[in-house]
Amino acid sequence: MEWRRSLRPRAPLPVLAPACQPRHSRCPREGTQASGSLPARPPRRRPAMARRSSLFIRIVEGKNLPAKDITGSSDPYCIVKVDNEPIIRTATVWKTLCPFWGEEYQVHLPPTFHAVAFYVMDEDALSRDDVIGKVCLTRDMLASHPKGFSGWTHLMEVDRNEEVQGEIHLRLEVVPGTHASRLRCSVLEARDLAPKDRNGASDPFVRVHYNGRTQETSVVKKSCYPRWNETFEFELEEGAAEALSVEAWDWDLVSRNDFLGKVVVNVQRLCSAQQEEGWFRLQPDQSKSRRGEGNLGSLQLEVRLRDETVLPSTCYQPLVQLLCQEVKLGTQGPGQLIPVIEETTSAECRQEVATTLLKLFLGQGLAKDFLDLLFQLELGRTSEANTLFRSNSLASKSMECFLKVAGMRYLHGILGPIIDRVFEEKKYVELDPSKVEVKDVGCSGLHRPLTEAEVLEQSAQTLRTHLVALLSALCRSVRACPAVVRATFRQLFRRVRERFPSAQHQNVPFIAVTSFLCLRFFSPAIMSPKLFHLRERHADARTSRTLLLLAKVVQNVGNLDTPVSRAKEAWMEPLQPTVRQGVAQLKDFITKLVDIEEKEELDLQRALNSQAPPVKEGPLFIHRTKGKGPLASSSFKKLYFSLTTEALSFAKTSSSKCVNELNQWLSALRKVSINNTGLLGSYHPGIFRGDRWSCCHQKDRTDQGCDRTHSRVTLQEWNDPLDHDLEAQLLYKHLLGVEAALREKQRLLSGETGTSSPTDRGGAPKDPLAQLLCVLQDLREAHSSSLAGAPPREPHHLLELQT
């Protein structure tokens, strides 16, 4: 019997992750609000400008790594940390010294972050994973590369003196004395210290050095969140230039104490301020650091830092209204802006611009109209049916992004079981006779090896089974397909049929749909399930070959079994009967898919909006403690959780297979709690066992938390809530970069008509391109005002939408 329960806690939902704070703060207990996008559907109203920082990270590959296993190889993977907080773990690539990952991530993080570090690890099944080396990129280093850091970099040795984390709370003051002033240093507490012992904690104490004297605090056993509340005083010599050094250490009985970090305070500046209190970020001991000699291998990375100043929503309204007006009028209007934006956008920026535009129109409820306009523009300049949507145009890139945003859950429902079966079976599949290796197949019985013909027939049968299962699931999924996706395909189907109405082109509307659904959505997901979150790990060589052949078969079906697709690889011929049968099934599916009327679309969309979609779902362990004192017992219970923007629910059994890593859960929790006005500023990362908290050893159960609640580091996912202002800012920044080309285009258009741009009664130009240039000027002035400290002014040109 399955049971489900909704957790709606009275207290704000805690997020179990440490935070990164500036070096010192006047408000030691104050929590910070996370940046990112809203979980709620309505746009967020921001009263003032906000700084946003994000990192695009692509971990490409490694080479010449050292062998860590007795087999002379390694099993490498990467961990990415932002200010010592782990946020990303790549898949493990087995038995290689030159691994290829090719994984991409978008990370939203606070503008005050310090560094991002990449650790290359060797996975071990029986012992602790080995650290191979690391690459550290500071914020200043990334800011010095406006187009991003890209290339190979040597792995450095991981030095324990550099692996520090956490903050320490100090109160520093200069106390007047009879003969001389005294320097008083109060060591209050610390948080998020590095665990140095095998029990997952440390035994921290603090050494304070000044003017040749050293004093130490007591040792707090088994805690990464110690509290000391101890005060030390030193004689303050006049004109002394020596700094105050505060070092945190982990006490060990047998071995040498471990370094946890240090803080160096400028005493002369303190004498001017007389008093200072706050949380200080622990720094590594650079004087003892060691560097590798370049013999640990290299890592190829692409990292790009993007800093944006997002203005209040009212500043972007003219830009958004102008583009919405263009999309609503479609080809019946002037039709200048979208074609000009595409024309002035370079090929390398087209994907980013397409994603920004699509998300902007999704937030305005005009995604379908925007894509319909792109379809018409693409069809207007296409003369040959066989080249339709084959280029990397704005229409193709926008549609790809649209399917990932709106159809990812649909994709998982169709492909998930098939991909899982391929991974679990691990069968040897090969159709190309020149690549068959009989020794890899094994024996068929009585120790008789399979012949090449038997291998080919067995492989063909395996692929037929997978293809039949996929097409069957697809044909049953018409009602499961999101209404907005069905409506968009309906528009595409109709536009193509109107453009190519002859009998010889009767298959062209179907091919237009399959060019996106099969060739640009299903096939890439089959070949790279890790990148589409269908699996947590990359496939091995045998499974990768099976997936590649299955993707080829799906492409043949998507091409409607044209002679061109058959001629490329003759060894796919054994599957042609199944492919032809699949073509008939696929055409029948598309006919039903696009057969959706406006009323049905609205009803399906209304039903979808009434249910909050899950942000994350998967298994988690609940920790429970029974009893008090030394007789207390602990137990873990596995439950399947589903997190939405409205509630956190759980069940005994899983309704869908989805394995999530801890950092993905933390990222999802931060996103849905970003608008929680009652969010606590601190929490306890441990449990209350017996008569005290396990993290900070405080005996008061109601004691305020010893760690900050909210970290602002989140991973961007396709199902993230939209942030309309951020998308408008990104579009403005792109248009600003091509402003010269836009002005040249406007001059040419004015020259063709032989007249200057007409204006309305308010003096604003009626020409859309001229209006766009005026809007860009207003936004430039608003940004200048915000940098100068003045509030942004209202835009000069208020646009009137034509209905």
Side-chain angles (χ1 to χ4, degrees), residues 577-592:
T578 308
V579 170
R580 284 191 287 270
Q581 182 181 356
V583 169
Q585 291 179 275
L586 185 61
K587 291 178 68 175
D588 181 64
F589 164 75
I590 293 174
T591 303
K592 296 177 181 178

Side-chain angles (χ1 to χ4, degrees), residues 601-637:
E601 177 189 349
L602 292 175
D603 291 341
L604 289 174
Q605 194 64 40
R606 194 177 297 114
L608 179 65
N609 292 339
S610 64
Q611 301 176 353
V615 180
K616 276 291 176 188
E617 55 186 4
L620 287 175
F621 288 91
I622 299 295
H623 180 272
R624 293 177 178 175
T625 303
K626 297 179 181 179
K628 294 184 177 182
L631 299 179
S633 61
S634 300
S635 63
F636 289 88
K637 188 173 185 179

Side-chain angles (χ1 to χ4, degrees), residues 390 431 463 467 470-471 507 510-511 514-515 517-520 522-524 526-527 547-587 590:
R390 297 294 179 176
L431 293 180
L463 290 175
L467 181 61
L470 193 154
L471 291 173
N507 280 338
F510 293 96
I511 294 177
T514 59
S515 66
L517 188 64
C518 295
L519 275 64
R520 295 176 182 264
F522 282 170
S523 290
I526 293 172
M527 288 189 291
L547 294 174
L548 176 62
L549 292 173
L550 180 59
K552 285 180 177 290
V553 179
V554 172
Q555 288 178 352
N556 285 349
V557 176
N559 287 325
L560 301 190
D561 191 30
T562 58
V564 176
S565 63
R566 289 199 302 269
K568 288 182 179 179
E569 293 160 334
W571 42 266
M572 299 282 288
E573 189 64 30
L575 294 176
Q576 287 311 119
T578 308
V579 170
R580 284 191 287 270
Q581 182 181 356
V583 169
Q585 291 179 275
L586 185 61
K587 291 178 68 175
I590 293 174

Side-chain angles (χ1 to χ4, degrees), residues 486-487 490 494 594-604:
R486 293 183 62 186
R490 176 195 63 199
R494 289 179 179 177
V594 300
D595 185 19
I596 179 174
E597 300 300 327
E598 296 288 345
K599 183 179 183 303
E600 184 181 2
E601 177 189 349
L602 292 175
D603 291 341
L604 289 174

Side-chain angles (χ1 to χ4, degrees), residues 23 172 240-244 264-271 276:
R23 186 172 181 269
L172 306 168
E242 186 176 348
L244 175 73
V264 178
V265 181
N266 188 322
V267 176
Q268 290 184 342
R269 190 184 66 179
L270 180 62
C271 291
E276 186 171 2

Side-chain angles (χ1 to χ4, degrees), residues 503-536:
Q504 64 177 345
H505 294 138
Q506 60 179 350
N507 280 338
V508 175
F510 293 96
I511 294 177
V513 174
T514 59
S515 66
F516 292 114
L517 188 64
C518 295
L519 275 64
R520 295 176 182 264
F521 196 37
F522 282 170
S523 290
I526 293 172
M527 288 189 291
S528 304
K530 171 72 168 63
L531 302 183
F532 284 75
H533 306 294
L534 287 163
R535 299 289 296 186
E536 284 190 1

Side-chain angles (χ1 to χ4, degrees), residues 409-454:
R409 285 180 59 80
Y410 174 68
L411 174 90
H412 280 222
I414 301 296
L415 293 183
I418 289 93
I419 298 297
D420 289 343
R421 183 176 177 182
V422 172
F423 270 79
E424 290 164 4
E425 289 180 347
K426 294 186 179 299
K427 290 183 177 180
Y428 179 81
V429 177
E430 184 55 73
L431 293 180
D432 188 352
S434 64
K435 296 183 178 180
V436 173
E437 297 182 8
V438 178
K439 62 182 179 63
D440 289 340
V441 183
C443 301
S444 61
L446 298 178
H447 303 287
R448 182 182 70 81
L450 292 175
T451 64
E452 181 178 305
E454 289 174 331

